[in-house]
Amino acid sequence: MDFRIATRADVPAVLDLLADDEITRQRGFGTVPEQVDAATWAAFEAIDADDRNELIVAVHDQEIVGTCQLTFIPGLSRGGAERLLIEAVRIRADQRGRGLGGDLIRWTVERARERGCRIVQLTTDKRRTDAHRFYAKLGFTASHEGFKLAL
Amino acid sequence: MDFRIATRADVPAVLDLLADDEITRQRGFGTVPEQVDAATWAAFEAIDADDRNELIVAVHDQEIVGTCQLTFIPGLSRGGAERLLIEAVRIRADQRGRGLGGDLIRWTVERARERGCRIVQLTTDKRRTDAHRFYAKLGFTASHEGFKLAL
């Protein structure tokens, strides 16, 4: 298993992973269009050009089997250290239950530590009870309520 | 009441606001040092130079009475739209209960909408039950668990 920053060529596979999720579908993410649209390419370019955003892919046998997005956020608390926000974590359905997700999150936590972050945070839908156990096992504490407002 | 992006001169007042909070104190934020240290200045400079990070202050009678930090995060979901993450929301103790917090959050939501964000999100400590009611009243849904890992 290899973890690395996504390239432009990885974007369709990442979109497939994002769409392959029941809760995301309920939210209306919908099916992946045949062609990636201009706004999605622009978002990839924005992430790619930004030192504080990283789209990560997990690669196995030359296939993209997992992804997440990292955002490193500067702040005045905690002695000026950055915090890492993890978003959009996905493991391909046929690869779940093999420890790959744990490897991916541990890799991101190590990346945050090396960069000097003092905290790593994420939110996960309250219906994802498997995910809650997964993050607790990795040492995370469910100390916060996660509020969302769709615009 | 006026809301604007913080300048360097506002930093000591923002640090006072961040420290003036029981849960933050328990986390060991500690008292504000007499002089702002180099790492905290560097964090301010990083926020100030970053188009996707904004330190906001609420000003009343030429005094800083509230603050929050906004991070606009590009992503491949939601048609490539940004999401807004709100962090470090504080209202000065003597100004609470007057609707100022609501005004601040509504102003940030409007800012997100103008920028084309499709979602606004934040986490708040599970012990802050007043804050939970506050965000629910502003239209936010507590749909997620907020996980944190201190490094």
Side-chain angles (χ1 to χ4, degrees):
Chain A
M1 192 65 54
D2 194 35
F3 303 108
R4 59 168 173 76
I5 293 178
T7 65
R8 201 176 160 87
D10 300 323
V11 168
V14 170
L15 290 173
D16 279 339
L17 284 174
L18 292 176
D20 181 22
D21 176 81
E22 189 50 44
I23 288 177
T24 304
R25 267 191 293 271
Q26 288 172 23
R27 209 174 60 207
F29 187 89
T31 51
V32 178
E34 285 296 302
Q35 290 201 306
V36 179
D37 65 19
T40 303
W41 280 128
F44 171 75
E45 300 296 343
I47 295 166
D48 196 45
D50 189 334
D51 285 345
R52 294 198 180 93
N53 276 282
E54 295 181 339
L55 182 65
I56 302 297
V57 287
V59 185
H60 181 59
D61 280 349
Q62 299 177 0
E63 289 188 11
I64 307 295
V65 294
T67 184
C68 65
Q69 182 173 337
L70 309 184
T71 304
F72 298 96
I73 303 173
L76 301 186
S77 296
R78 300 185 176 77
E82 284 180 329
R83 72 174 70 214
L84 169 60
L85 172 70
I86 307 177
E87 288 277 354
V89 179
R90 294 288 190 283
I91 300 296
R92 208 172 71 186
D94 65 350
Q95 301 285 323
R96 289 175 201 155
R98 296 173 48 189
L100 170 57
D103 292 345
L104 173 61
I105 298 300
R106 275 186 292 269
W107 183 85
T108 67
V109 168
E110 192 49 40
R111 197 166 178 82
R113 204 188 302 272
E114 280 169 16
R115 195 170 156 133
C117 294
R118 293 276 299 279
I119 188 166
V120 180
Q121 67 187 48
L122 58 92
T123 67
T124 178
D125 194 289
K126 283 186 189 280
R127 290 167 289 176
R128 298 192 200 268
T129 49
D130 286 358
H132 304 165
R133 280 190 294 271
F134 169 76
Y135 289 115
K137 219 171 123 186
L138 288 165
F140 286 78
T141 307
S143 55
H144 285 60
E145 288 290 330
F147 284 87
K148 310 267 174 177
L149 175 67
L151 299 185
Chain B
M1 191 67 53
D2 194 34
F3 303 109
R4 59 168 173 78
I5 292 177
T7 65
R8 201 176 158 88
D10 300 323
V11 169
V14 170
L15 290 172
D16 281 338
L17 284 174
L18 292 176
D20 181 21
D21 176 81
E22 188 51 42
I23 288 177
T24 305
R25 268 190 292 270
Q26 289 172 22
R27 209 175 59 206
F29 186 90
T31 51
V32 179
E34 285 296 302
Q35 291 202 305
V36 179
D37 64 20
T40 303
W41 279 127
F44 172 74
E45 300 296 343
I47 295 166
D48 197 45
D50 188 335
D51 284 345
R52 294 197 180 93
N53 276 281
E54 295 181 340
L55 183 65
I56 303 297
V57 288
V59 185
H60 181 59
D61 281 350
Q62 298 175 2
E63 289 188 12
I64 306 294
V65 294
T67 184
C68 65
Q69 183 174 338
L70 308 184
T71 305
F72 299 95
I73 302 173
L76 301 188
S77 296
R78 299 183 177 79
E82 285 181 330
R83 71 174 72 215
L84 169 60
L85 172 70
I86 307 177
E87 289 276 355
V89 180
R90 294 287 190 286
I91 300 296
R92 207 172 72 187
D94 65 350
Q95 300 285 323
R96 290 175 200 157
R98 296 173 48 188
L100 170 57
D103 292 345
L104 174 61
I105 297 300
R106 275 186 292 268
W107 183 85
T108 66
V109 168
E110 193 49 39
R111 197 167 178 82
R113 204 186 303 269
E114 280 169 16
R115 196 169 154 130
C117 294
R118 294 274 301 276
I119 189 166
V120 180
Q121 67 187 47
L122 58 91
T123 66
T124 178
D125 194 289
K126 282 185 190 280
R127 291 166 289 177
R128 298 192 200 269
T129 49
D130 287 356
H132 304 166
R133 280 190 295 271
F134 168 77
Y135 289 114
K137 218 172 124 186
L138 288 164
F140 286 78
T141 307
S143 54
H144 284 61
E145 289 289 331
F147 284 87
K148 309 270 174 175
L149 175 67
L151 300 185

